[in-house]
Amino acid sequence: MSVDESASESARLSFSELPEAWTRLSRVRGLADVALVWAGIFAVVAFCGYLESGWIHLVGIVGIGILQNNISSLAHHAIHSNIHPERRLNDGLTRLLLAAPLAQLFSVLRAEHLHHHAHLGATDDAERYYYDLTRHGRREKGHLVRWVGGLFIGWVALGVARRTLTGSREGGEPPATRALSERGKRERILDLLAIPPMQIAVALAMWLAHGQWWAYLALWAIPAVTVGGGLTALRATLDHADAGQPPDLDLSYVSNPLERFVVAPFNFNYHFEHHRFMTVPYYHVAKLRPLLQARGEFEGVQLLPGYVSRIRQLARELKASPDNQAR
């Protein structure tokens, strides 16, 4: 290591330098956010049942899909034990209220995502499935546009189903498919056992709130495989997707309140900051940006204005990229 590299490394902000209040985990904030999202979901369901309009149900599908993406975002924060300071309560509530209602295995999500943090950009990073533009033929503008559109017509559910049934997905062997410890096996069994009763509970609660038995299919299953799953996959793609060769994976977003609520709720747009300090709770992570900027750690990090504008930017860059022009 050179003198300059050594000096640069020593200048990096360390976890011990962060104010203690920024790292303290609230015992109520995460639980309150989970409760608010579910309250919003059932408010939409009840509203749709009250008005009995087809157009209102279409709006309800979009609204619930957005809130399902909120659930996925909270599940991500739970992976880092940022919903509640007591690990057993954090994991139990997440398994029942965040993962199982979306037919996902919390232990698989955790294994994949923690590996992603430790091996960002590596060939065995399971989340590279989303952001690596060399996959799925997305080095061409048309293929990228089709990919984004396809996220919202249900095909993303195939990857979720494959992962739920086999613990793996296309694009390499994620850590979840390797030999499990005894604790890992128990957690996988708990995840699987939680899905049927929670799906039934959601279906019954929606029937009660809406008044029709088909509310679960129309206002939960359909949003989950279209709008909800699409928004989650889109955000996972844009977290690190870059048209450069090699790609620049360090990205963070400013965005606007509406875009943040729809695509990147609960401060997901502070993505580089989250990767630097993944155990800082999501309700404190915004405070890291000015501190990291003051320490010079945003040099080389792309601070992007928004998610929609990022899609347009990628499409322009891919259209003009040398490897596409050579074809």
Side-chain angles (χ1 to χ4, degrees):
M1 179 182 294
S2 68
V3 174
D4 289 343
E5 289 174 332
S6 179
S8 175
E9 188 66 27
S10 64
R12 281 169 59 87
L13 185 68
S14 67
F15 187 82
S16 62
E17 294 180 79
L18 300 180
E20 192 272 338
W22 294 9
T23 63
R24 186 185 307 126
L25 192 58
S26 169
R27 301 182 70 86
V28 298
R29 174 62 184 271
L31 302 181
D33 285 336
V34 172
L36 282 172
V37 172
W38 275 108
I41 288 170
F42 282 106
V44 173
V45 171
F47 185 69
C48 290
Y50 176 74
L51 292 183
E52 299 182 344
S53 164
W55 287 107
I56 292 298
H57 278 76
L58 288 177
V59 174
I61 287 172
V62 174
I64 288 177
I66 291 170
L67 291 172
Q68 286 174 332
N69 185 43
N70 276 244
I71 287 178
S72 294
S73 296
L74 287 171
H76 158 267
H77 295 314
I79 286 169
H80 300 289
S81 299
N82 284 334
I83 294 297
H84 197 275
E86 294 183 18
R87 174 70 177 265
R88 183 173 296 180
L89 183 57
N90 178 90
D91 292 3
L93 287 175
T94 302
R95 179 174 289 113
L96 292 175
L97 298 181
L98 302 176
L102 295 178
Q104 294 183 336
L105 305 180
F106 181 49
S107 59
V108 173
L109 294 175
R110 171 172 276 163
E112 287 186 355
H113 190 68
L114 294 181
H115 190 270
H116 162 70
H117 271 263
H119 301 278
L120 175 62
T123 56
D124 64 342
D125 178 2
E127 295 189 17
R128 190 168 179 167
Y129 170 88
Y130 292 111
Y131 65 79
D132 184 351
L133 296 181
T134 65
R135 296 189 176 181
H136 318 294
R138 292 173 297 167
R139 293 289 311 170
E140 293 185 1
K141 177 182 177 179
H143 289 175
L144 175 66
V145 172
R146 284 194 291 273
W147 160 272
V148 172
L151 297 177
F152 296 93
I153 60 175
W155 77 259
V156 71
L158 298 177
V160 174
R162 183 188 298 114
R163 183 171 56 187
T164 300
L165 295 173
T166 68
S168 66
R169 71 162 110 224
E170 176 188 299
E173 181 189 24
T177 64
R178 297 173 185 166
L180 294 174
S181 64
E182 288 302 315
R183 176 177 177 177
K185 292 177 182 178
R186 289 196 299 271
E187 289 182 344
R188 180 74 63 83
I189 291 172
L190 288 174
D191 290 338
L192 289 168
L193 291 176
I195 291 176
M198 291 311 300
Q199 294 292 318
I200 293 172
V202 170
L204 292 175
M206 287 194 164
W207 188 351
L208 181 63
H210 183 278
Q212 298 291 338
W213 65 268
W214 45 261
Y216 166 82
L217 297 176
L219 295 174
W220 188 255
I222 290 177
V225 299
T226 56
V227 179
L231 287 172
T232 299
L234 178 64
R235 191 263 310 146
T237 298
L238 296 179
D239 281 344
H240 300 288
D242 185 64
Q245 292 283 32
D248 182 0
L249 303 180
D250 291 330
L251 310 179
S252 208
Y253 288 83
V254 178
S255 196
N256 59 66
L258 177 61
E259 202 178 51
R260 290 197 298 270
F261 175 71
V262 172
V263 182
F266 301 108
N267 285 337
F268 230 120
N269 58 300
Y270 294 94
H271 205 68
F272 171 74
E273 297 88 334
H274 168 65
H275 268 261
R276 279 290 283 114
F277 296 104
M278 65 181 180
T279 58
V280 170
Y282 59 92
Y283 36 85
H284 293 312
V285 71
K287 301 170 185 174
L288 294 173
R289 180 170 291 172
L291 190 55
L292 290 169
Q293 288 174 324
R295 295 291 285 267
E297 292 201 39
F298 259 75
E299 295 180 9
V301 175
Q302 295 189 62
L303 185 55
L304 301 163
Y307 291 89
V308 174
S309 63
R310 179 58 171 172
I311 296 172
R312 292 198 298 262
Q313 179 187 7
L314 288 173
R316 288 194 304 269
E317 291 178 354
L318 290 172
K319 183 178 181 180
S321 64
D323 56 328
N324 288 334
Q325 291 178 349
R327 295 181 181 182

